[in-house]
């Protein structure tokens, strides 16, 4: 089976990327928390998810290693800061106010929708595809 570039990334690839990103974040937190403090470390971690995909063509470390990337739906270009702000903050807010219920629905979307877009992808106008 060959990998088709631009094909929507499924649940397992996205989960794998999230696990790898969590590992990277764990290393960053353990490295920097003693040097710059807890609050500054949390800001750095937030910037990791917000800005790295903007400046690295839709990739985080986990997404790069799993062969997937975030891109805008309309023109297939890398995400903008606006896309990532919507994806991160609005998505997180929706997940939090519904006590995680919408996050479960979001995972169901990735499994069942043909375009594999989660709720935070729909909010931000993004998609996650194989590269």
């Amino acid at each position: 089976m060959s990998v088709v570039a631009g094909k929507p990334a499924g649940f397992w690839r996205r989960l794998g990327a999230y696990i790898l990103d969590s590992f990277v974040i764990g290393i960053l937190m353990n490295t920097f928390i003693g040097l710059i403090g807890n609050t500054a470390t949390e800001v750095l971690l937030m910037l990791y998810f917000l800005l790295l995909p903007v400046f690295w063509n839709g990739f985080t470390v986990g997404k790069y290693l799993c062969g997937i990337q975030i891109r805008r739906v309309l023109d297939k270009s890398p995400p903008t800061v606006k896309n990532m702000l919507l994806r991160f903050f609005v998505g997180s807010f929706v997940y939090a106010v519904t006590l995680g219920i919408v996050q479960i629905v979001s995972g169901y979307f990735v499994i069942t929708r043909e375009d594999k877009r989660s709720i935070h992808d729909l909010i931000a106008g993004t998609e996650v595809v194989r590269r």
Side-chain angles (χ1 to χ4, degrees):
M1 183 166 96
S2 65
V3 175
V4 180
K7 182 179 178 184
F11 178 80
W12 294 112
R13 280 183 188 264
R14 290 173 71 141
L15 179 62
Y18 180 77
I19 290 169
L20 289 170
D21 281 329
S22 296
F23 182 72
V24 168
I25 287 169
I27 291 171
L28 291 173
M29 284 191 79
N30 287 328
T31 302
F32 292 112
I33 201 163
L35 299 173
I36 61 176
N38 193 33
T39 303
T41 301
E42 289 177 13
V43 169
L44 284 175
L45 298 177
M46 182 179 58
L47 293 175
Y48 172 87
F49 283 111
L50 287 176
L51 298 179
L52 190 59
V54 172
F55 295 110
W56 197 22
N57 200 32
F59 293 107
T60 61
V61 172
K63 284 181 174 51
Y64 183 82
L65 293 173
C66 288
I68 61 177
Q69 71 187 122
I70 303 166
R71 69 180 185 190
R72 294 173 51 182
V73 173
L74 291 177
D75 60 5
K76 312 302 184 207
S77 65
T80 63
V81 171
K82 178 183 174 185
N83 296 123
M84 295 310 296
L85 286 169
L86 287 169
R87 189 177 160 89
F88 186 81
F89 286 114
V90 178
S92 295
F93 177 77
V94 170
Y95 295 152
V97 298
T98 62
L99 304 176
I101 293 169
V102 173
Q103 193 163 15
I104 294 167
V105 172
S106 192
Y108 180 76
F109 278 16
V110 174
I111 293 168
T112 60
R113 287 176 58 103
E114 188 175 330
D115 64 4
K116 307 293 185 198
R117 292 175 69 201
S118 64
I119 291 175
H120 58 267
D121 287 319
L122 295 169
I123 291 169
T126 60
E127 61 187 352
V128 179
V129 296
R130 296 181 187 188
R131 59 178 163 101

